[in-house]
Amino acid sequence: MNLTRREFLGNTAVGLLALTLTNLRFPQSSAAQAKGAAAAGAGYEYRGWEDLYRDRWRWDRRVRSTHFVNCWYQAHCAWDVFVKDGIVWREEQAGDYPRTNANVPDFNPRGCQKGACYSERMYDPSRVKYPLKRVGERGSGKWQKVGWEEALAEIADAMIEVMQKEGPERIVWSPGPLYTFGANVAGQARLTDILGNIVLDMNPEIGDGHPGAAVTFGKIIAERSADDYFYSDVILIWGCNPVYTQIPNMHFLLEARYRGARLVTISPDYNASATRSDLWVPVNPGTDAALALGVAQVIVSEKLYDEKFIQEQTDLPLLVREDTKRFLRASDLESGGSDEVLYFFDRAASRISQASQTSLALEGKDPALEGSFEVETTGGKVEVKPVFEWLKDLLADYTPEKASAITGTSPSLIRELAHLIAEAKAVTNVTSSNFSKYYHGNLMERAQILVFALCGHMGKKGSGYSAFPFLVHDGFDAFSLVSSTGWFGGAGLMARFGPEILKLKLKGFTEEMIGYELARQQYAAGRWVSGVLFWNIHGGLVDYSNRAGEWDPHLKRPAAEYLKESLEKGWQRVNPPPGKSPRIIFELGSNILRRIRGYPLVERELLPKLRSLVVLDSRMSSTALKADYVLPVSAWYERTDHKWVTPLMPFIHGGERAVKHFEAKSDWEVVALLAKKIQERAKERGITRYRDGEGNERSLDDVYDRLTMGGKFTENDEEKVAEELLKHSTNLEGVAWETIKKKGYARFTGVGGSVVSIGNACDIEPGETVSPFTHHVEKKQVYPTLSRRIQFYIDHELYLELGEALPVHKDPPTAGGKYPLQLTGGHTRWSIHASWRDDALMLRQQRGEPVMYVSVADAKARGIGDGDEVEVRNDLGSFRIRVKISPAIRPGQVVIYHAWENYQFKNGEGFQNLIPSPINPVELAGGQFHLRPMSICLHPGQSDRDTRVEIRRV
């Protein structure tokens, strides 16, 4: 046969299609099962490929929906969902997003392969169809199908007994990345407020806490709209890979490049984003702080910095004492003076001047950046210097040549990068939570932000440091609070917090700062709890944190002492307190036994102490397999709801339910039915009162009534709840629920007052892109820090003890032992979190099983070939995985992209089992204005990028 290549491929495709048609069957839904042949499992008999093609374009109805999942920075997208014979047949991207203005690209199209696969995913074997109760040992896989009434009654009885005998704080809810800020989680938020249960803050736990941004800005929220990149001159892809992780947003970066922006990728590996950039800056893993400080050294030594910006917006002019290395405070100058009032030297008046706590406007003052001054204090004369002087001394250790020895980046390239940033009009970075996952990630972020601030790249179009992206409607915060009158918006909110709000306003606090203070009250009361501290204290992970001294040579004393000191001084708090184990854990949109680093310790130490582990999920996850009850909740196309977004895509997204799936219920319905069962069983058993951890009496005989606001929102009212949340939101003015439900999206009209949005500190105006921090730069609104400025000098005792008052470089710890390879990770093209990791279609796009990327040199030195199975080990344990040899990987580094489920590894031993993730002691700081735990930040995080391993072929 003489076939051309085109003919051969064509014939092969026809053959494969024929084989596919032979075995093709519709996925079976509960609706389809009720329809004759489908109920018998026969499926639809196609006559040939022509019918398959024609029927692809026939459907019973079409609805708009979105994916109620956390695909993070690339989220969120509107989809047309096509329903046929009671099942979702396919989905298509919606392409009707409006353009912001004629000068920037529009948001079309939005979507990726992870969304396009969901019509298949929602019917795959991992779906949970009925409530399940464990009947064998945990993890044995032995389940009994039970009815909703039975499951909820047993769970309610257990809750009542625990709350009465041991207290409501022994019941813990672990929300995960699927937290939507919609009706999906409104029930959990209200119920835990009613009962006094504990809610875990998982954000730093999953490695998204941005500790460097938190201590520098006093918050971590800071992001732009993706079309704002069109105003950038330089875009830094520093520590991320948006070609993989921001598929719907990537066209903005490339189009900005076509327009003239310089795209720069800074990364250890030559990744997919580097191939599409103008400049690749290679750097050794974990040395990004040294690189940033090398860039800063060039900017400062060559006087390329923006003096007016750093005088006004940063703490660099503020005075620090030579003797104590602490800020000069009002308490140093007068008896009874404030510890929060700081000073600079005003060259215009030739004397020290108090730094305003209410405005960044200098009003004719000229803060000195250099020099040394003598000040008379209550204890005598002391020498003081501006932070900028301390910074110059520090940067002497980070010349390009010295930084190069640490980073592996050439001195000339460091200088080129410095000039590129300093000479540009507008520089921004692409959001990444990568550095949060390094033990010394706080130093890396602080050093990066220093570079941006030195050059004034903040608060204007196309510029600014992007940290954590969040944009939600602010009706959720009020709905989650409980009051006797029902709704806690407006006057109700003032009734609960009014005196505190007025007190803070009188102190000159901004709306942003007031929101953070109210959030901190939830942590001080033990209502919200750091997930990392919870798993350390109650899950046994403290054993690994206490070994940090073996791996981190910079510690001045045993690691255990830092944790003990922080808890004793109340800097951080864990609830229930040490010695009082949790009894019931609810997992909601979470997967704790996959995501927690060192999870085998949690399985061994915590699970035996639990009366019940209850998982609310739509699929069988690694955690569900170890649960006592698995309650099936509705999945993406089975909800009528809306969800949060990010400023990158400033449109709230939602939609209406397309189909039902077996006995799955919405999360709102599940929680409401649970509340109803608690109220019913409490009355039947005569247990109607109990006391919480603070001694307050709470009731059980009206739980459902209070949750539903007297029956206004029953278990069947998911859509009413979704509508109510929007009705009371201030940042969706003029937006009707019907618009979102039918169209799938609506543009935000402001950042709102939610603590997870207000930090963007900007306006969202029609016809304008979104640029963060304009309220600080243009309106001179203070930052929520001790200094009320972008703060680089941290004079907390832990920072001083560990030599981190200013950002420095510290070598990564040898977490897990002294082994030659550094294990890092990231997100892949085919999965952001575990939602897609075992999806058949996505697995076909890769090698179908977990793989570790290894450099050519490291593989050759160990006699390892592509596709070989290897054992990966360190002092904690081992696991097995296949190797993928890649010339793009740096020798000494190995990469496992995250989210693989534990059961996808041999013997169920996932790679997280040998990641110790010790707590970094500086993240235990507290007690100093903004160094106190609050929502999503400023408490310890988990790290995994510093893990050391060795591999061998098996």
Side-chain angles (χ1 to χ4, degrees):
M1 295 177 64
N2 295 316
L3 290 176
T4 66
R5 180 176 181 273
R6 182 185 297 271
E7 289 169 337
F8 173 77
L9 292 174
N11 291 340
T12 301
V14 171
L16 289 172
L17 178 60
L19 290 172
T20 302
L21 290 171
T22 301
N23 296 293
L24 182 64
R25 293 290 185 272
F26 266 115
Q28 296 299 299
S29 72
S30 54
Q33 285 180 329
K35 293 181 181 265
Y44 183 89
E45 296 297 333
Y46 286 100
R47 294 184 297 275
W49 68 268
E50 297 97 337
D51 280 358
L52 174 65
Y53 182 80
R54 291 188 185 104
D55 279 2
R56 181 174 179 81
W57 304 105
R58 295 173 185 158
W59 53 84
D60 299 332
R61 66 192 186 101
R62 179 183 66 185
V63 300
R64 272 286 167 95
S65 189
T66 189
H67 300 135
F68 294 90
V69 68
N70 184 358
C71 45
W72 212 204
Y73 308 131
Q74 67 179 356
H76 300 79
C77 313
W79 290 77
D80 287 320
V81 179
F82 299 88
V83 181
K84 184 174 181 179
D85 292 336
I87 67 168
V88 174
W89 171 228
R90 63 190 174 90
E91 61 269 276
E92 285 184 356
Q93 297 163 285
D96 53 4
Y97 291 102
R99 200 175 191 176
T100 303
N101 62 57
N103 298 317
V104 296
D106 60 41
F107 288 86
N108 300 301
R110 290 198 68 80
C112 68
Q113 72 276 44
K114 294 178 285 296
C117 79
Y118 194 65
S119 57
E120 184 89 9
R121 179 65 165 158
M122 65 189 293
Y123 298 113
D124 74 18
S126 71
R127 280 303 301 267
V128 182
K129 301 174 183 177
Y130 317 100
L132 299 174
K133 176 183 177 181
R134 176 177 63 85
V135 294
E137 295 293 323
R138 277 198 179 104
S140 65
K142 295 180 180 179
W143 301 95
Q144 176 186 350
K145 175 185 170 184
V146 294
W148 276 103
E149 279 285 320
E150 179 183 349
L152 292 176
E154 291 180 5
I155 295 168
D157 280 341
M159 293 177 70
I160 291 169
E161 291 176 12
V162 168
M163 287 188 287
Q164 185 196 39
K165 295 176 181 178
E166 301 185 84
E169 68 275 7
R170 299 293 191 98
I171 299 174
V172 178
W173 293 69
S174 176
L178 299 188
Y179 208 85
T180 62
F181 289 91
N184 167 252
V185 291
Q188 172 268 316
R190 279 186 67 82
L191 185 61
T192 52
D193 192 46
I194 290 169
L195 297 177
N197 297 157
I198 303 305
V199 181
L200 299 184
D201 189 333
M202 53 82 197
N203 199 56
E205 175 199 318
I206 63 176
D208 287 2
H210 289 267
V215 300
T216 306
F217 294 135
K219 56 184 176 180
I220 64 175
I221 302 300
E223 184 55 281
R224 71 198 60 262
S225 57
D227 50 3
D228 193 59
Y229 285 123
F230 232 52
Y231 297 107
S232 301
D233 300 305
V234 175
I235 302 171
L236 301 176
I237 302 175
W238 196 341
C240 57
N241 188 6
V243 168
Y244 277 19
T245 60
Q246 293 198 35
I247 294 171
N249 298 329
M250 190 63 201
H251 74 92
F252 288 104
L253 302 178
L254 297 178
E255 288 164 356
R257 185 186 179 208
Y258 297 154
R259 188 174 183 267
R262 294 289 302 278
L263 208 57
V264 179
T265 291
I266 305 171
S267 64
D269 58 328
Y270 189 61
N271 59 41
S273 298
T275 66
R276 290 159 177 82
S277 298
D278 298 288
L279 179 65
W280 175 49
V281 180
V283 60
N284 292 328
T287 65
D288 297 83
L291 176 62
L293 292 169
V295 170
Q297 194 278 336
V298 174
I299 292 169
V300 170
S301 65
E302 298 185 17
K303 297 188 180 298
L304 303 174
Y305 51 84
D306 185 334
E307 182 175 7
K308 290 185 178 179
F309 182 90
I310 60 180
Q311 280 181 312
E312 175 189 272
Q313 295 282 318
T314 78
D315 71 335
L316 296 181
L318 299 186
L319 299 172
V320 174
R321 296 172 56 143
E322 290 268 17
D323 55 349
T324 63
K325 305 298 187 292
R326 292 175 63 87
F327 281 118
L328 180 68
R329 290 169 160 82
S331 56
D332 294 326
L333 304 181
E334 58 185 14
S335 178
S338 171
D339 282 336
E340 295 178 7
V341 173
L342 310 180
Y343 295 85
F344 58 80
F345 186 85
D346 180 12
R347 291 183 297 196
S350 296
R351 60 180 174 81
I352 65 169
S353 178
Q354 185 179 118
S356 173
Q357 293 185 292
T358 58
S359 174
L360 295 174
L362 294 177
E363 299 178 339
K365 296 177 181 177
D366 184 17
L369 294 176
E370 299 174 292
S372 178
F373 311 97
E374 188 177 75
V375 176
E376 186 71 46
T377 71
T378 56
K381 293 182 178 180
V382 298
E383 293 292 320
V384 295
K385 292 193 304 186
V387 173
F388 190 76
E389 279 283 10
W390 297 94
L391 177 65
K392 287 196 303 180
D393 294 342
L394 171 77
L395 293 178
D397 293 328
Y398 294 97
T399 64
E401 287 70 25
K402 292 179 179 179
S404 177
I406 300 169
T407 63
T409 311
S410 72
S412 62
L413 193 50
I414 293 174
R415 289 189 172 91
E416 179 183 352
L417 182 61
H419 280 270
L420 184 65
I421 293 171
E423 294 165 10
K425 293 181 180 179
V427 177
T428 188
N429 64 309
V430 178
T431 293
S432 166
S433 289
N434 177 57
F435 296 116
S436 305
K437 297 173 177 66
Y438 281 92
Y439 180 83
H440 290 307
N442 62 320
L443 295 172
M444 300 176 197
E445 287 188 337
R446 291 171 67 194
Q448 284 181 303
I449 298 169
L450 174 64
V451 171
F452 277 77
L454 284 172
C455 300
H457 292 309
M458 298 276 186
K460 56 187 178 182
K461 291 292 185 187
S463 83
Y465 184 84
S466 294
F468 199 62
F470 236 131
L471 183 58
V472 307
H473 65 78
D474 52 13
F476 182 86
D477 291 354
F479 189 90
S480 66
L481 302 174
V482 179
S483 78
S484 57
T485 58
W487 181 257
F488 226 136
L493 187 63
M494 286 298 293
R496 182 161 176 174
F497 297 111
E500 183 66 18
I501 292 173
L502 292 175
K503 176 183 174 183
L504 295 172
K505 283 186 175 181
L506 289 173
K507 288 182 66 175
F509 278 35
T510 63
E511 294 296 321
E512 177 184 31
M513 294 165 69
I514 291 172
Y516 295 159
E517 285 301 307
L518 297 181
R520 285 186 169 101
Q521 289 182 9
Q522 299 295 303
Y523 283 81
R527 282 277 293 109
W528 277 83
V529 173
S530 159
V532 169
L533 289 176
F534 178 86
W535 302 119
N536 265 262
I537 299 300
H538 296 297
L541 295 184
V542 70
D543 289 349
Y544 291 157
S545 289
N546 287 342
R547 294 180 62 182
E550 303 174 28
W551 307 320
D552 179 6
H554 301 287
L555 298 187
K556 306 298 184 184
R557 45 195 165 112
E561 287 189 17
Y562 292 103
L563 179 57
K564 180 182 178 182
E565 177 185 22
S566 183
L567 294 177
E568 287 180 348
K569 290 183 175 179
W571 292 345
Q572 300 284 338
R573 180 176 177 180
V574 67
N575 207 14
K580 294 186 176 182
S581 300
R583 297 303 183 204
I584 299 174
I585 293 180
F586 285 90
E587 184 198 72
L588 182 78
S590 185
N591 192 1
I592 53 180
L593 295 182
R594 188 219 60 78
R595 75 165 185 253
I596 293 175
R597 289 73 158 176
Y599 70 87
L601 269 181
V602 175
E603 289 190 22
R604 293 196 299 269
E605 297 292 326
L606 179 59
L607 295 194
K609 301 173 186 176
L610 295 180
R611 178 165 177 168
S612 295
L613 172 59
V614 182
V615 170
L616 283 70
D617 209 330
S618 62
R619 66 185 187 92
M620 265 295 179
S621 65
S622 293
T623 310
L625 290 171
K626 300 293 177 73
D628 298 292
Y629 296 91
V630 181
L631 305 181
V633 297
S634 56
W636 302 349
Y637 300 153
E638 300 152 20
R639 297 177 181 170
T640 301
D641 203 356
H642 48 74
K643 69 187 295 286
W644 61 272
V645 296
T646 76
L648 287 163
M649 177 54 173
F651 296 80
I652 189 170
H653 280 69
E656 58 184 322
R657 185 176 64 201
V659 295
K660 283 190 173 183
H661 189 80
F662 290 87
E663 293 186 16
K665 299 179 182 296
S666 73
D667 298 79
W668 166 263
E669 184 178 2
V670 174
V671 172
L673 288 174
L674 176 60
K676 179 181 281 189
K677 189 59 67 175
I678 292 172
Q679 179 170 307
E680 173 189 308
R681 294 293 295 150
K683 289 180 178 179
E684 290 175 0
R685 298 174 62 181
I687 306 173
T688 59
R689 297 290 184 271
Y690 65 98
R691 292 193 178 276
D692 61 25
E694 297 178 350
N696 302 311
E697 186 176 82
R698 294 179 182 248
S699 59
L700 287 171
D701 54 358
D702 60 353
V703 171
Y704 176 77
D705 297 335
R706 285 187 287 159
L707 176 80
T708 62
M709 299 183 187
K712 182 179 180 181
F713 303 101
T714 71
E715 60 270 23
N716 301 315
D717 291 330
E718 175 191 26
E719 181 175 349
K720 282 179 63 177
V721 172
E723 183 176 12
E724 188 78 359
L725 293 172
L726 297 186
K727 188 186 301 182
H728 292 272
S729 298
T730 68
N731 54 341
L732 286 166
E733 295 180 12
V735 174
W737 163 239
E738 286 296 319
T739 300
I740 296 175
K741 188 172 72 170
K742 297 298 183 183
K743 193 173 184 178
Y745 61 85
R747 185 177 169 91
F748 276 92
T749 59
V751 298
S754 171
V755 293
V756 295
S757 291
I758 196 170
N760 289 300
C762 63
D763 297 318
I764 297 180
E765 299 175 349
E768 295 292 339
T769 62
V770 180
S771 308
F773 286 14
T774 54
H775 287 175
H776 298 306
V777 175
E778 295 176 1
K779 298 182 179 181
K780 312 307 178 188
Q781 177 180 297
V782 296
Y783 294 83
T785 61
L786 169 70
S787 66
R788 308 303 196 266
R789 287 148 181 79
I790 302 173
Q791 188 167 330
F792 296 108
Y793 195 86
I794 309 295
D795 68 352
H796 188 281
E797 57 196 82
L798 285 185
Y799 283 76
L800 291 169
E801 176 184 333
L802 293 167
E804 298 182 17
L806 283 168
V808 296
H809 163 77
K810 288 185 175 181
D811 289 334
T814 55
K818 295 182 179 179
Y819 295 90
L821 301 176
Q822 185 170 345
L823 173 63
T824 67
H827 296 82
T828 71
R829 297 177 189 267
W830 309 285
S831 178
I832 299 298
H833 296 121
S835 301
W836 302 273
R837 259 317 194 188
D838 59 346
D839 176 68
L841 292 179
M842 292 299 97
L843 289 173
R844 291 176 191 172
Q845 308 303 311
Q846 42 195 308
R847 296 201 175 187
E849 61 181 330
V851 295
M852 168 184 277
Y853 291 75
V854 180
S855 73
V856 175
D858 288 329
K860 184 177 180 180
R862 292 162 177 79
I864 297 170
D866 190 72
D868 283 350
E869 183 180 4
V870 298
E871 179 190 62
V872 185
R873 62 182 175 84
N874 65 11
D875 289 348
L876 275 62
S878 65
F879 66 92
R880 293 191 176 187
I881 194 170
R882 297 281 177 186
V883 159
K884 184 173 183 178
I885 298 176
S886 171
I889 299 296
R890 175 183 297 267
Q893 178 188 20
V894 291
V895 177
I896 301 178
Y897 289 105
H898 97 167
W900 295 106
E901 293 278 11
N902 301 334
Y903 54 74
Q904 293 179 280
F905 291 82
K906 183 169 289 188
N907 301 320
E909 295 175 348
F911 72 101
Q912 304 272 47
N913 84 84
L914 51 64
I915 298 177
S917 188
I919 292 175
N920 185 334
V922 295
E923 294 180 21
L924 293 167
Q928 187 186 93
F929 195 72
H930 70 288
L931 299 185
R932 292 175 290 144
M934 69 172 188
S935 301
I936 70 175
C937 64
L938 290 161
H939 36 98
Q942 280 208 311
S943 57
D944 51 41
R945 301 292 198 260
D946 311 286
T947 305
R948 299 305 175 96
V949 299
E950 179 56 287
I951 61 176
R952 69 174 183 88
R953 184 171 176 267
V954 294

